[in-house]
Amino acid sequence: MNRLFEWVCGTLAALALFCIMVLTFFDVGGRKFASASIPGSLEVTELLMVIVIFAALPLVSIRREHVVFDSLDHVLSPLLRRMQAVLVNLVCGGLLMALAWLMWRTAGEFAAAGETTAQLKLLKAPFIYGMSVLCGLTGMVHLLRSAMARPDPQLPQADKP
């Protein structure tokens, strides 16, 4: 299940990033050689960046590839490090779940109002629903990490007296 989840999120992020690359290539080429850019390329790039960021977020959490502040970890006991891991993951998970709920609510409001992008008139709600789901999945990863209650294996263990 974990591998499937990682594959889906990774593929989604990679495809969106590839589409940004192709779109940018043709947009710049069009400007350079035909003096015309692709209409709506900025909007499409922004929406694709949303996909890249929110599809990669659960992967970063699953793989524990966050930026880590570990200056004090060498002086903490294993118990304190475990408590720290639980607390940090609980806070992150709770905040991400709350953010997912707010995004879901906002997406519903945008869907009801028929909110679209300025130039291409693409509906915004599907993208915000996707952001909400991926943010919620990331929150669940952190909540599961807090339930496991084990410190990050990449961090050095505290020296024993």
Side-chain angles (χ1 to χ4, degrees), residues 65-153:
E65 294 177 342
H66 297 95
V67 174
V68 176
F69 178 76
D70 59 356
S71 296
L72 301 175
D73 285 343
H74 67 283
V75 297
L76 296 177
S77 70
L79 176 63
L80 282 175
R81 285 190 45 222
R82 197 167 16 263
M83 288 171 42
Q84 175 189 26
V86 169
L87 180 64
V88 168
N89 279 306
L90 275 175
V91 169
C92 287
L95 290 173
L96 285 163
M97 295 301 282
L99 183 60
W101 176 75
L102 287 172
M103 285 181 186
W104 191 269
R105 196 176 75 182
T106 301
E109 293 169 2
F110 277 32
E115 285 276 334
T116 61
T117 60
Q119 192 172 7
L120 296 176
K121 304 296 182 206
L122 298 172
L123 288 174
K124 291 181 180 180
F127 291 94
I128 301 171
Y129 278 126
M131 290 164 56
S132 174
V133 167
L134 291 166
C135 196
L137 289 172
T138 306
M140 283 195 263
V141 167
H142 282 281
L143 293 176
L144 286 171
R145 290 252 184 255
S146 70
M148 289 183 205
R150 73 185 172 110
D152 192 329

Side-chain angles (χ1 to χ4, degrees), residues 14-79:
L15 285 174
L17 192 58
F18 180 77
C19 289
I20 291 170
M21 180 189 70
V22 170
L23 178 62
T24 303
F25 176 81
F26 284 110
D27 190 44
V28 170
R31 282 189 223 160
K32 182 78 173 169
F33 300 113
S35 297
S37 64
I38 297 172
S41 62
L42 178 61
E43 280 184 358
V44 173
T45 299
E46 289 172 346
L47 293 172
L48 289 169
M49 281 304 298
V50 164
I51 294 170
V52 169
I53 291 166
F54 281 88
L57 193 57
L59 292 176
V60 170
S61 294
I62 286 173
R63 297 175 182 171
R64 297 179 182 202
E65 294 177 342
H66 297 95
V67 174
V68 176
F69 178 76
D70 59 356
S71 296
L72 301 175
D73 285 343
H74 67 283
V75 297
L76 296 177
S77 70
L79 176 63

